[in-house]
């Protein structure tokens, strides 16, 4: 792409609020500032480009002149030299605000860029050593081998420290439509230096036959005949939906929020609040899933396999365009998203965010045996969702808002398993999912960043356990169940794990407001309690994904602390992010705090997950706990005409 193709739009930006995502005009204006500052030579690429959100106090105070201050952050890389920089530009002041050149051995590398994928395939196919290794496996025609670049992680590999590189696995694709995940070429990895554009090492440990059975589920011969008997389900809302969308501001049944988007985090929600009898009560200032790590448990030559889908691959950039009737049913409102390509040029993802409401079964119901009352109310929920495809997996991120004040986050995981040749026998690290085809065990560990504002900025966190105390004077018959409430007063003390044997939850409370019982208004985080990171404490991935070693972290709000594994995750040596954030052990009692919650499955693949995986779900729930004085859904009217 030539520079002439990229010009600031005539139209100007449409951003109306400081938290609105950067739009195309802004990306181009920022790009011009970077070009004028001499930072965009022919070999410069954007590894990240997005809104640099203003600090919270500025947003809450409102812009002094009524116009939001707009800044953009870019991670730039010179693909000829590898020099990378973290740059912030001010669109209002038309200048570069900060420019820091990275030192990759200590800072890490900027994320993978789109052109890396094409470069890698070209490089390995041209490499004589790799070609010879493939020929030995009977794969002489390298045009029929697809290269799958994987982030390198960080291991003690001597002089590789300064290289920007990926480790490349191979899959056979004999015909254009072959499903490559069915045909892994196992035992070999090529390490490709992305700057030198060459293979600098080949690890060739073993050879196994390439599994041959097709997994192409588009092929009727593979899929089999389609089942019959599914009659139509139509969802109609004759009076339209019950929500309103004004720019990025969404309102529904007392809920209010701003729907944002970022190339790294994907869907971001801001300023979630609830209207309670005419009063706007804040709950969450910002909610997102800023990291997702997928560490694999195969100890052989692919021991390094662990993807940080946000920090290394920019999950939001791979967001799908959704289709009404396929991805979302009912009365849908869509928001487009704008991301930047490698050259900083805006790319619009049409229908990136889906907003709709769903009937959700019974909300509450009671048949009273004494007064004869028989009442039923329907539950429904507002759904804000988006989907991203990162490599072999597809992830749907769903935020749900209910009539009773509950917030839920659900991730739906589907797509293709990452595969290898099955080693045979009963293998502890993988499952045979097709003849000779193995799927290694792995984890999907998400980090939710929940910048809480329960009835204001002054919040605190309590851990609540439920257990049966031993028989004694206070429990003579042994039937007692008691709650143990522990205030988590500092960051170090708030590094916690789930305990499902005690129904452990974490309560975020206001230190300034009480309910009619004199107790703090609160919301409670209900975790699922799946395992944290299973890698050994001495492992590289444990150092780099320290956040995933615990279910809960609480930090004092700091606008610079946005990413649980740190700003530059790719090839980072470890220790960044949450472990570093809490090292100062700041006070978190009665102040502006951020909750970080690790969740997600440990996935031992099943044959039923092949060739495409049925959606698996994970997530967490936030429920009002004395935030209201009674059931807030008592005012939901009965279903018209039926009950
Ligand atoms: Cu999985």
């Amino acid at each position: 792409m030539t520079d002439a193709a990229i010009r600031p739009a005539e139209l100007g930006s449409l951003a109306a609020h400081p938290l609105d995502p950067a739009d195309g005009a802004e990306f181009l204006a920022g790009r011009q500032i970077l070009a004028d500052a001499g930072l965009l030579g022919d070999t410069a690429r954007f590894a990240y480009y997005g809104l640099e959100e203003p600090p919270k106090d500025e947003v809450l105070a409102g812009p002094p002149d009524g116009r939001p201050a707009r800044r953009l952050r870019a991670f730039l890389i010179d693909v000829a030299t590898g020099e990378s920089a973290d740059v912030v530009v001010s669109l209002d002041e038309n200048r570069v605000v900060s420019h820091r050149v990275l030192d990759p051995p200590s800072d890490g590398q900027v994320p993978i860029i789109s052109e890396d994928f094409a470069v890698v395939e070209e490089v390995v196919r041209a490499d004589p050593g790799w070609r010879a290794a493939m020929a030995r496996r009977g794969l002489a025609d390298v045009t029929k081998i697809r290269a799958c670049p994987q982030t390198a992680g960080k291991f003690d590999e001597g002089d590789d420290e300064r290289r920007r590189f990926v480790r490349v696995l191979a899959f056979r694709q004999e015909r254009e439509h072959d499903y490559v995940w069915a045909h892994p070429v196992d035992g070999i990895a090529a390490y490709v230096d992305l700057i030198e554009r060459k293979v600098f090492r080949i690890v060739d440990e073993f050879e196994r036959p390439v599994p041959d059975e097709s997994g192409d589920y588009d092929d009727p011969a593979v899929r089999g005949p389609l089942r019959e008997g599914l009659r139509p389900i139509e969802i109609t809302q004759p009076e339209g939906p019950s929500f309103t969308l004004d720019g990025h501001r969404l309102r529904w049944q007392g809920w209010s929020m701003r729907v944002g988007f970022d190339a790294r985090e994907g869907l971001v929600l801001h300023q979630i609040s609830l209207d309670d009898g005419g009063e706007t009560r804040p709950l969450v200032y910002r909610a997102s899933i800023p990291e997702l790590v997928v560490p694999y448990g195969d100890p052989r030559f692919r021991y390094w396999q662990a993807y940080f889908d946000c920090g290394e691959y920019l999950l939001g950039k791979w967001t799908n365009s959704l289709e009404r009737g396929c991805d979302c049913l009912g009365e849908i409102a869509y928001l487009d998203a704008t991301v930047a390509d490698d050259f900083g040029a805006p790319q619009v993802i049409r229908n990136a965010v889906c907003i709709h409401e769903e009937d959700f079964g019974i909300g509450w119901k009671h048949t009273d045996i004494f007064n004869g009352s028989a009442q039923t109310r329907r539950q429904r929920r507002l759904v804000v969702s988006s989907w991203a495809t990162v490599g072999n997996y597809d992830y749907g991120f769903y935020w749900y808002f209910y009539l009773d004040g509950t917030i839920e986050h659900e991730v739906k995981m589907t797509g293709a398993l990452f595969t290898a040749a099955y080693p045979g026998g009963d293998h502890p690290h993988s499952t045979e999912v097709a003849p000779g085809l193995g799927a290694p065990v792995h984890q999907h560990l998400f980090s939710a960043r929940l910048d809480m504002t329960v009835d204001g900025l002054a919040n605190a966190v309590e851990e609540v356990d439920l257990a049966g105390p031993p028989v004694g004077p206070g429990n003579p018959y042994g039937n007692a169940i008691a709650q143990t409430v522990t205030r988590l007063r500092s960051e170090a003390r708030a590094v916690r794990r789930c305990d499902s044997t005690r129904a452990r939850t974490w309560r975020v409370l206001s230190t300034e407001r009480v309910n009619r019982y004199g107790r703090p208004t609160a919301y409670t985080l209900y975790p699922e309690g799946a395992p944290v990171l299973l890698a050994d404490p001495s492992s590289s991935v444990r150092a780099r994904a320290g956040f995933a070693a615990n279910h809960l972290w609480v930090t004092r709000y700091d606008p610079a602390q946005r990413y649980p594994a740190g700003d530059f995750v790719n090839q980072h040596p470890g220790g960044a992010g949450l472990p570093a954030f809490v090292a100062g052990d700041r006070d978190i009692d009665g102040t502006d705090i951020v909750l970080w919650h690790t969740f997600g499955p440990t996935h031992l693949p099943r044959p039923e997950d092949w060739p495409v995986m049925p959606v698996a779900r994970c997530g967490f729930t936030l429920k009002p706990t004395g935030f209201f004085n009674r059931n807030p859904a008592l005012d939901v009217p009965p279903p018209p005409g039926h009950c």
Side-chain angles (χ1 to χ4, degrees), residues 199-257:
V199 175
F200 66 91
R201 189 172 307 149
I202 290 176
V203 176
D204 192 353
E205 251 187 38
F206 56 85
E207 288 177 30
R208 278 204 213 292
V210 176
D212 199 48
E213 186 175 282
S214 173
D216 179 9
Y217 49 83
D218 287 344
D219 178 354
V222 170
R223 187 194 60 217
L226 296 176
R227 69 173 68 183
E228 294 175 353
L230 289 173
R231 292 176 178 159
I233 294 178
E234 300 282 353
I235 294 170
T236 55
Q237 293 178 270
E239 297 173 30
S242 318
F243 60 81
T244 57
L245 188 62
D246 175 15
H248 289 268
R249 178 145 184 202
L250 175 61
R251 286 191 182 88
W252 179 80
Q253 289 294 304
W255 291 100
S256 171
M257 68 200 72

Side-chain angles (χ1 to χ4, degrees), residues 94-170:
N94 201 36
R95 68 183 181 96
V96 173
V97 175
S98 67
H99 176 253
R100 184 172 80 86
V101 174
L102 303 188
D103 176 40
S106 56
D107 285 326
Q109 293 275 356
V110 296
I112 298 295
I113 59 173
S114 298
E115 81 178 29
D116 289 339
F117 291 95
V119 164
V120 160
E121 196 152 78
E122 208 174 288
V123 165
V124 294
R125 283 177 175 175
D127 183 73
W130 191 81
R131 294 172 72 101
M134 289 300 154
R136 254 198 338 272
R137 288 167 165 83
L139 302 164
D141 182 356
V142 293
T143 64
K144 293 182 173 167
I145 306 174
R146 301 308 303 267
C148 185
Q150 320 239 305
T151 45
K154 181 77 169 186
F155 296 85
D156 187 14
E157 290 165 308
D159 61 359
D160 297 345
E161 184 176 84
R162 298 207 74 84
R163 289 183 187 274
R164 174 174 167 81
F165 76 103
V166 286
R167 305 179 205 256
V168 183
L169 296 173

Side-chain angles (χ1 to χ4, degrees), residues 393 417 442 444 603 613:
Y393 267 107
L417 295 166
H442 56 278
H444 303 254
H603 185 187
M613 185 176 136

